[in-house]
Amino acid sequence: MTSQPTARDRLLDAAEDLAAMQGVSVTPVDAILERARVSPATLYAHFGTKEGLITQALRRRLARWDTTWQECIEEAPTPEEKLLAVFTALSRHRHALTPSRWCVFLGVAAETPHPGRDLEDTLAADTRLLLHRLEELAATLVDTQQAPLLARRLVLIYTGVLGMILRGTDVDTATAEGRHIAGMTLHAAAGSTSSAP
C-alpha cells in the first residue's frame, strides 16, 4: 500500500505544477492551497511565505534535474557524448515532470526582479550547476583555458533551446537541434585547440 503524499509534498507539487504551467506571479496563494488541499496555516507553518514555498519547490526540481543529468552523463559512452548529454537530459527531464512553458528557473527569475536571498541563491544554483559541470566535461575535450568559454557557449545554446520550446517548438526537436549545434561548436573549439602552435 502506497503512502499518501504529506501536506508539505502536496504544497511543493502544487507550487511546482502551477509555476511551471502558468507562472508564479499570476498564481495566487489561494490557487496553490486549493490544489494542495491545505489551509493557509499549513503553508506558513512549513514555508513561511509563498516565496519560501517557491524556493523549496525549485530546490527540489533542481535536485531532480541534477540526478537526471548525471544519469545521462553516466550512460554516455564517450567524453563528447557526455558533454552533449545535457540535451538528452533536458528532453528526459521535461518528459518526466509537469510540462512547463519553458524553464521554470528562468520564468521565476523573470517574474521576480527583487527576490529574497534564499530564492536568489536557488536561482543562481541552477546557473552554477550548468556552467561548472559543462566546464568540467569540456576540460576533457579541449584545452583547459578554452573550457570556460566552451561551457558558456553551450549554456547559450541550451538557453536558446528553452526559448524555442517557449515559441512552440517540440521538445525533442528543439533538443535535437540544440545538440547538433552544440556538437558543431565543440568540434570548432577542438579543432582550434589541435591547430594551435
Side-chain angles (χ1 to χ4, degrees):
M1 180 178 180
T2 57
S3 60
Q4 294 298 313
T6 65
R8 185 179 191 278
D9 286 338
R10 293 200 308 273
L11 279 164
L12 289 169
D13 290 341
E16 183 177 347
D17 290 350
L18 291 170
M21 290 186 294
Q22 61 190 38
V24 171
S25 63
V26 298
T27 301
V29 170
D30 287 349
I32 297 172
L33 296 174
E34 182 179 354
R35 164 93 47 120
R37 304 183 314 279
V38 301
S39 68
T42 302
L43 185 155
Y44 298 122
H46 283 289
F47 303 104
T49 63
K50 177 185 176 183
E51 184 168 299
L53 170 60
I54 296 298
T55 299
Q56 291 302 317
L58 288 176
R59 287 179 180 171
R60 187 179 68 164
R61 193 175 182 98
L62 182 59
R64 290 173 173 172
W65 159 243
D66 185 13
T67 298
T68 299
W69 189 6
Q70 289 187 61
E71 289 171 353
C72 291
I73 291 169
E74 290 169 4
E75 293 167 9
T78 66
E80 179 176 335
E81 290 295 315
K82 289 181 186 300
L83 180 62
L84 299 178
V86 65
F87 298 98
T88 306
L90 176 58
S91 179
R92 186 180 298 181
H93 180 69
R94 291 184 64 87
H95 285 304
L97 298 178
T98 301
S100 59
R101 295 181 64 225
W102 62 324
C103 171
V104 178
F105 285 83
L106 292 176
V108 171
E111 292 182 83
T112 316
H114 305 292
R117 179 177 295 178
D118 286 347
L119 179 55
E120 184 177 27
D121 289 346
T122 301
L123 294 171
D126 176 56
T127 301
R128 282 196 305 271
L129 176 62
L130 276 169
L131 282 170
H132 291 173
R133 183 167 295 159
L134 288 171
E135 186 175 332
E136 288 176 355
L137 294 168
T140 67
L141 294 161
V142 299
D143 185 278
T144 53
Q145 292 183 332
Q146 278 198 308
L149 176 59
L150 178 56
R152 290 195 300 273
R153 288 174 175 171
L154 293 180
V155 171
L156 183 62
I157 295 167
Y158 172 90
T159 305
V161 168
L162 293 168
M164 291 307 295
I165 292 170
L166 178 63
R167 290 179 180 273
T169 302
D170 173 76
V171 171
D172 293 330
T173 300
T175 53
E177 290 174 349
R179 182 187 178 92
H180 178 69
I181 296 167
M184 292 191 295
T185 303
L186 169 60
H187 292 154
S192 66
T193 298
S194 62
S195 63

